[in-house]
Amino acid sequence: MKGTNVVKLLAVVGLIVILSMNGSCASSREEPTDNLLVLTVATRETDGFRRFIRSAKFFNYSIKVLGRGEKWKGENEAKTLGGGQKVRLLKSALKQYEDKENLIILFTDSYDVIFASGPKEILKKFQQGKSKVVFSAETLIYPDRHLETKYPPVTNGKRFLSSGGFMGYAPSLSQIVSEWDGADSDSDQLFYTKVFLDTEKREKIGISLDHRCRIFQNLNGAVDEVVLKFENGRVRARNVDSDTLPVVVHGNGPTKLQLNYLGNYIPRIWTFETGCTVCDEDIQKLSVLKDDEFPLVLIAIYIEQPTPFVSEFFKRLLALNYPKKRLQLFIHNHEAHHDSNVRKFLEEYQSDFSGVKVIGSEQNVENADARNMGMDFCRQNSDCEYVFSIDVDVVMKNPDTLRILMEQNRPIITPLVSRQGKLWSNFWGALSADGYYARSEDYIDIVQGRRIGVWNVPYISNIYLVKASILRTELREINMFQSGRLDADMVFCQNVRNQGVFMYVTNRVEFGYILSTANCKTAYLHNDLWQIFENPEDWREKYIHQNYSQTFEGKLIETPCPDVYWFPLFTDTACDHLVEEVEHYGKWSSGSSTDTRIQGGYENVPTIDIHMNQVGYEKEWRKMLQDYVAPITELMYPGYYTKADFDLAFVVRYKPDEQPFLRPHHDASTFTINIALNRPGIDYEGGGSRFLRYNCSVTDSRKGWALMHPGRLTHYHEGLPTISGTRYISVSFVDP
């Protein structure tokens, strides 16, 4: 299902489009006004043009589009002058209207313009001005500053003419443009300025400027003057300096992004009463497709830095609700540390996908180059319809993410993901003057979900869906990510903006979040164990038993002996990783009473063990005890509140030919936590704990379950013999 369901526009230059009354916002539209015609120039259909048409449709303006199919020869990003092509096209179009004395023509740009109100209001304001022609006005003079002294003085409002929007009676406008004989690349603004500054012509024709922005609002030089006005299910732009409500809002000059922000609300895109009114427009339904009819998507995965929980990332990738045979993978791994993650995933699942391309760490391809390669990999494949770019630090909790983004049918769209508990997210609502982050007025509300919708924004990162049709047209430049001074993501967004392509973020549903990579360890065998501080939710999901929370509901806590409690704590993965980590470290104690690791150097009841501080895990273990053991302690021992302090926390190894048992003893603790790290009857035979005072034994240990009991005085106990295999337990003497 290729292509985009877009507004079907003019096929023939000069055809008048009377925009229809049907649609979701019909109740707000006016009847067509016979004596007002909007003329605009659009040589190609851009996202900005579609936005302009939509706002015109909302108010039922009559539109005539000029220049369709022509090559644009006017101003561009590299040249400051231009626009003469618009004058030529207007001059030609006005010939058929030059004798229509009652027809009012509104001429405006389209790519960076939106309507905030309808024909009746604009006609009323125009007629109240009693001029034959009204040009929009602005604070900044352009393009010739030397003409400033020739402008009539203004005591209140904008002094200088802007050619981005003007309106007048057809004969009067025809009279103005009849003198045009310039080139398409000449300045339209300079031409109109000279006409206006000619006092005789100005008075003869009846030309004035909209000094107080009653009709036209140019944002250049006036961004701080314009705010959103929410009222009765409508949104307007209000100029707070002149206390006016302009009808035509123009993001001229460097204010395109501010217009995009306003365009997220005006005219009734999003209101407090309705929420988002356009989020379901042009939806591309995938539910009607068979598996082999789904668009082919290239998922481009980027591992650019040491990142925790990479194996979990690949598990979530496999869980995507999308036919695997309609997915191709492009994987760039810049980190040798993660080679094993990629290799293990591909060994098991590569055949599930329709194609896989891997750029490994050994190739030493930099971030920007790899991202260019990913885009071009799809661009060069005519069957590829989307690129789904995702960094490995994104936790994609919603398996429908790809389908949801695709159904929104936007050229480039990202799901909102943020750092948990923080305002840091994968989009910016505004940019500073130097192109970096600036906080938009609505940023916090969007991140925190107080405003829900699909938002046009200037910057996205980490995860986004791009239509391949855009890559082959507006974004056909192969180098989309590389620049000498900016990061790859900023370069990409800058290039997208420069091509007039809109980027959107949706927060309509929960998608997931972004991991913190600030303190990602790489020195250990299982580095995710150390993530309990930086990424506590992911650590919990990976390492805390799935039934742990049921202990607070009075379930799953067992009492095998008096004041001995047994509850699920660790996953099998946690147990395996902890055992493998200490075995990888390998420096087991000798089991003798002489032990330089502890204060005094003497252990009364020694075991063969490795202490948590030996493997650099003391802080993390204490955090685990505080977060997951202390609540159980306070539940089962009412009135006792633990700080989860310990002097000794260690992993013990029991083997028949090494140390099979432990003689009776008291623990140096207020209470002890004993966690079984492997499986009796499978990994070993025998083992367990016997509490002598009660003649009560716990022998059928459960992997990942914790045994909690008092340490001193009452619970004198021994470790029962392990008769075969190897038994591992983790022991903590808490509150010594």
Side-chain angles (χ1 to χ4, degrees), residues 365-652:
V365 176
E366 292 302 319
N367 180 17
D369 293 327
R371 292 179 188 272
N372 279 326
M373 292 170 65
M375 292 294 181
D376 202 47
F377 194 74
C378 174
R379 187 187 286 117
Q380 299 302 325
N381 178 4
S382 60
D383 293 329
C384 182
E385 297 178 56
Y386 290 90
V387 173
F388 186 34
S389 177
I390 179 167
D391 295 354
V392 77
D393 59 354
V394 173
V395 178
M396 193 166 42
K397 302 288 282 189
N398 190 331
D400 292 321
T401 295
L402 178 55
R403 294 174 67 121
I404 291 170
L405 297 181
M406 195 176 291
E407 288 187 337
Q408 285 293 165
N409 203 16
R410 299 297 200 272
I412 302 176
I413 187 169
T414 182
L416 173 63
V417 288
S418 62
R419 293 267 171 83
Q420 288 190 303
K422 300 183 183 299
L423 293 175
W424 195 100
S425 78
N426 67 321
F427 84 96
W428 297 346
L431 298 182
S432 63
D434 56 358
Y436 289 86
Y437 170 82
R439 180 171 291 179
S440 61
E441 175 273 333
D442 56 2
Y443 177 82
I444 294 178
D445 281 349
I446 293 173
V447 171
Q448 296 183 340
R450 291 194 291 267
R451 299 187 189 185
I452 302 294
V454 180
W455 312 92
N456 184 349
V457 295
Y459 170 89
I460 60 175
S461 65
N462 296 87
I463 175 173
Y464 45 85
L465 185 69
V466 182
K467 285 188 174 182
S469 58
I470 297 294
L471 294 177
R472 299 184 184 106
T473 52
E474 286 93 335
L475 305 183
R476 59 185 174 273
E477 172 61 47
I478 292 177
N479 186 7
M480 291 293 298
F481 291 91
Q482 207 164 39
S483 170
R485 77 182 178 89
L486 296 177
D487 292 339
D489 51 357
M490 296 180 67
V491 177
F492 173 71
C493 293
Q494 183 182 69
N495 285 327
V496 170
R497 295 193 303 269
N498 289 346
Q499 294 303 315
V501 177
F502 290 168
M503 296 172 285
Y504 296 89
V505 59
T506 173
N507 65 340
R508 299 184 71 188
V509 300
E510 292 287 336
F511 292 101
Y513 50 89
I514 303 174
L515 292 169
S516 170
T517 58
N519 292 298
C520 182
K521 308 288 186 182
T522 59
Y524 300 101
L525 184 65
H526 296 294
N527 295 280
D528 291 349
L529 281 168
W530 276 259
Q531 287 295 310
I532 191 170
F533 289 102
E534 289 294 332
N535 296 289
E537 289 302 315
D538 298 85
W539 191 94
R540 175 186 177 121
E541 182 178 334
K542 185 167 186 174
Y543 292 128
I544 294 299
H545 199 286
Q546 62 180 356
N547 296 327
Y548 168 79
S549 60
Q550 294 184 29
T551 59
F552 298 96
E553 302 169 7
K555 304 174 183 178
L556 295 182
I557 294 187
E558 300 181 16
T559 311
C561 299
D563 285 328
V564 176
Y565 299 102
W566 208 10
F567 57 92
L569 181 60
F570 279 170
T571 61
D572 282 359
T573 300
C575 298
D576 294 342
H577 283 192
L578 191 56
V579 169
E580 291 167 10
E581 198 67 52
V582 294
E583 285 288 6
H584 179 69
Y585 176 73
K587 297 179 182 179
W588 294 92
S589 64
S590 65
S592 69
S593 293
T594 301
D595 193 340
T596 58
R597 299 172 302 169
I598 62 176
Q599 188 175 4
Y602 181 82
E603 172 59 66
N604 187 42
V605 187
T607 54
I608 293 178
D609 56 47
I610 292 176
H611 291 185
M612 293 301 177
N613 59 8
Q614 289 181 266
V615 292
Y617 203 62
E618 189 172 22
K619 290 190 302 182
E620 289 76 13
W621 193 258
R622 178 174 285 107
K623 175 68 171 172
M624 185 280 295
L625 293 175
Q626 290 170 341
D627 288 354
Y628 298 104
V629 172
I632 303 295
T633 305
E634 294 166 10
L635 178 68
M636 302 316 297
Y637 300 122
Y640 180 74
Y641 301 97
T642 177
K643 296 180 180 178
D645 288 332
F646 62 86
D647 290 333
L648 291 177
F650 47 93
V651 174
V652 181

Side-chain angles (χ1 to χ4, degrees), residues 303-307 332-343 359-364 522 527:
I303 309 173
E304 303 300 328
Q305 59 187 334
T307 306
H332 175 239
N333 176 29
H334 191 260
E335 290 292 328
H337 171 69
H338 291 305
D339 284 346
S340 60
N341 298 112
V342 176
R343 183 172 56 252
I359 307 296
S361 61
E362 74 283 354
Q363 295 177 255
N364 200 29
T522 59
N527 295 280

Side-chain angles (χ1 to χ4, degrees), residues 139-140 158 213 217-226 239 255:
T139 304
L140 307 174
K158 314 295 181 187
C213 306
Q217 176 66 65
N218 292 298
L219 294 176
N220 195 17
V223 166
D224 293 337
E225 301 172 14
V226 180
N239 187 302
T255 66

Side-chain angles (χ1 to χ4, degrees), residues 256-328:
K256 304 290 188 289
L257 301 186
Q258 183 66 11
L259 183 74
N260 291 349
Y261 161 73
L262 298 175
N264 283 327
Y265 298 92
I266 299 171
R268 196 173 71 181
I269 305 300
W270 189 96
T271 73
F272 289 103
E273 294 85 356
T274 65
C276 180
T277 65
V278 300
C279 286
D280 290 323
E281 289 187 3
D282 297 327
I283 288 291
Q284 177 177 260
K285 286 293 184 183
L286 300 180
S287 58
V288 299
L289 301 180
K290 299 177 181 177
D291 281 3
D292 60 357
E293 295 174 333
F294 274 69
L296 182 66
V297 180
L298 175 70
I299 301 183
I301 300 164
Y302 297 98
I303 309 173
E304 303 300 328
Q305 59 187 334
T307 306
F309 305 107
V310 172
S311 58
E312 282 64 38
F313 170 88
F314 283 117
K315 289 177 184 176
R316 286 187 289 269
L317 181 68
L318 291 170
L320 275 179
N321 182 17
Y322 202 90
K324 296 295 183 292
K325 287 303 182 183
R326 301 302 294 163
L327 297 176
Q328 295 181 335

Side-chain angles (χ1 to χ4, degrees), residues 569-570 574-575 578-579 582 588 607-612 617 621 624-625 629 646 648-654 667 672-678 684 689 701-702 704-709 727-734:
L569 181 60
F570 279 170
C575 298
L578 191 56
V579 169
V582 294
W588 294 92
T607 54
I608 293 178
D609 56 47
I610 292 176
H611 291 185
M612 293 301 177
Y617 203 62
W621 193 258
M624 185 280 295
L625 293 175
V629 172
F646 62 86
L648 291 177
F650 47 93
V651 174
V652 181
R653 183 174 71 186
Y654 289 112
D667 291 338
T672 295
I673 296 295
N674 180 334
I675 307 168
L677 299 180
N678 58 346
Y684 64 90
S689 298
S701 301
R702 299 170 190 169
W705 281 56
L707 202 64
M708 180 171 66
H709 61 83
R727 178 188 177 213
Y728 295 96
I729 60 172
S730 171
V731 178
S732 303
F733 295 162
V734 186

